[in-house]
Amino acid sequence: MTTVSTVRGPVEVDRLGQTLMHEHVFVTSTEHLDNYGKGAWWDEEFRVADAITKLNAVAAKGVRTIVDPTVWGLGRYIPRIQRIAAEVPDLHIIVATGLYTFDELPHQYEHRGPGLLIDMPDPMIEDFVRDLTEGIADTGVKAAFLKCVVEHKGLTPGVERVCRAVAQAHLRTGAPITVHTNSFTQSGLPALDLFAKEGVNLAKVVVGHAGDSNDLDYLMKLADTGATLGMDRFGLDLYNPTAQRVATIAALCRRGYADRMVLSHDAACFNDYFPEAWDETRDALAPNWRYDHIHDDVLAALTESGVTGEQIERMLVFNPRQLFS
Ligand SMILES: [Zn+2]
């Protein structure tokens, strides 16, 4: 039986159950938090307890796994996630490696690599592979997938190097990839093109935030490569309201694409983009941007739009399992 690494250790893929394929526990900058959060808007014990409550609530809805693409650039800090996972027994948390940048590399990778000041193999690849095969820092927790970004600026030199390093780490380990894309600039297309040229198995790629688009031609072009569409920002109505996200998924299901979509919210228990009064700000800006919107509202709306129970099962259970198999 194939297993996948989770925060609490390996789990058989058949036991992943209903899986939300793109949820953060926390989005922070560790430097922001350490220098401005502590003693001000960040209360470690409160935030850990709050996350345990919110994640147990989504587990109570029937969700068995969340896939958390929080990497460097979004404040990955695994010891805190381990504390939380220990108190959320009915939910598996799968964590990621990779890099979140819309443009430039962190300076720590700028001068080291093939043909650079320090001429050496790309250290990003070594770092990503180590996270996947040995574990992240000294936590013993292994990442199970790779994350990168192609945003509105497209394949800048920094973004291109990250994507190539992610592709190489995928080729060495077989780990699936989630690429954050901008649906308004259709950046999923150059992302998949680059991965294809690097020899990536596109059946192992999730085009994150594809669900911000209602352009069926764009979405089918992505899915026809074998990649999976991340319909993963339910509740972020400012990018695309729920009713339109639902209509787009229903249209794609009618055209036979239920096996190429996964569902999620891209939510978080806390996000330091709005550090003061996070929950109140979230409630004001995007009241449905929470882990249970899909189970509370979206699944019924999909059913009303003609999406079958079997298709929902595909998007929530079968497709995630396939990606990690
Ligand atoms: Zn995200």
Side-chain angles (χ1 to χ4, degrees):
M1 176 56 62
T2 315
T3 63
V4 57
S5 298
T6 74
V7 173
R8 288 191 301 263
V11 169
E12 291 181 357
V13 291
D14 280 359
R15 302 189 63 114
L16 294 178
Q18 292 192 10
T19 301
L20 299 178
M21 277 296 287
H22 190 129
E23 306 292 351
H24 303 271
V25 178
F26 297 116
V27 173
T28 62
S29 148
T30 48
E31 283 196 302
H32 187 208
L33 193 154
D34 284 337
N35 290 285
Y36 299 103
K38 290 175 181 172
W41 43 262
W42 180 261
D43 178 336
E44 180 83 17
E45 295 309 310
F46 175 83
R47 284 296 160 199
V48 166
D50 179 66
I52 290 166
T53 301
K54 286 170 176 167
L55 292 171
N56 275 318
V58 70
K61 304 276 180 188
V63 175
R64 284 293 156 267
T65 304
I66 62 164
V67 176
D68 181 347
T70 305
V71 292
W72 183 353
L74 290 165
R76 187 182 72 177
Y77 184 61
I78 298 300
R80 187 178 293 125
I81 304 300
Q82 286 179 290
R83 276 189 71 192
I84 292 161
E87 303 297 328
V88 188
D90 296 330
L91 189 76
H92 304 299
I93 303 175
I94 294 176
V95 297
T97 185
L99 195 64
Y100 185 86
T101 175
F102 287 15
D103 190 347
E104 294 182 10
L105 292 173
H107 297 298
Q108 291 81 2
Y109 289 130
E110 195 180 335
H111 303 296
R112 299 180 296 144
L116 299 177
L117 196 60
I118 310 298
D119 193 359
M120 61 184 283
D122 194 326
M124 245 186 292
I125 301 173
E126 302 300 324
D127 287 348
F128 298 163
V129 169
R130 183 178 183 279
D131 284 350
L132 291 160
T133 59
E134 292 172 44
I136 298 166
D138 59 356
T139 63
V141 174
K142 289 179 188 170
F145 71 110
L146 290 141
K147 164 78 179 282
C148 58
V149 176
V150 182
E151 248 297 335
H152 60 286
K153 293 177 184 174
L155 291 168
T156 68
V159 164
E160 182 172 340
R161 195 173 141 204
V162 176
C163 289
R164 289 193 196 283
V166 159
Q168 289 304 312
H170 157 84
L171 292 176
R172 285 198 208 169
T173 63
I177 298 170
T178 288
V179 53
H180 163 124
T181 61
N182 184 320
S183 280
F184 305 100
T185 62
Q186 304 201 339
S187 69
L189 294 170
L192 292 183
D193 189 51
L194 180 144
F195 287 145
K197 284 181 182 141
E198 291 286 312
V200 168
N201 174 7
L202 297 184
K204 292 292 177 190
V205 178
V206 177
V207 182
H209 314 327
D212 289 346
S213 174
N214 302 308
D215 180 338
L216 296 182
D217 289 335
Y218 170 62
L219 295 169
M220 289 189 294
K221 216 181 278 180
L222 296 173
D224 287 340
T225 67
T228 297
L229 305 172
M231 313 310 266
D232 57 14
R233 276 178 164 171
F234 272 102
L236 268 180
D237 290 0
L238 59 168
Y239 291 125
N240 196 13
T242 291
Q244 268 155 345
R245 292 179 191 270
V246 166
T248 296
I249 292 173
L252 287 167
C253 283
R254 281 195 297 275
R255 292 172 190 225
Y257 288 94
D259 61 346
R260 299 284 164 78
M261 290 186 277
V262 290
L263 307 179
S264 216
H265 308 90
D266 197 13
C269 296
F270 174 84
N271 184 325
D272 77 346
Y273 293 9
F274 307 99
E276 303 90 5
W278 153 251
D279 286 288
E280 293 76 1
T281 310
R282 196 259 338 259
D283 286 348
L285 293 177
N288 287 324
W289 196 28
R290 48 186 170 76
Y291 300 127
D292 40 18
H293 179 43
I294 287 175
H295 281 71
D296 285 353
D297 311 305
V298 172
L299 296 184
L302 286 170
T303 303
E304 267 171 42
S305 304
V307 176
T308 67
E310 194 204 320
Q311 289 169 328
I312 289 173
E313 179 94 352
R314 271 193 176 273
M315 295 186 281
L316 272 182
V317 180
F318 182 79
N319 297 343
R321 183 170 74 204
Q322 283 291 101
L323 284 157
F324 287 108
S325 294

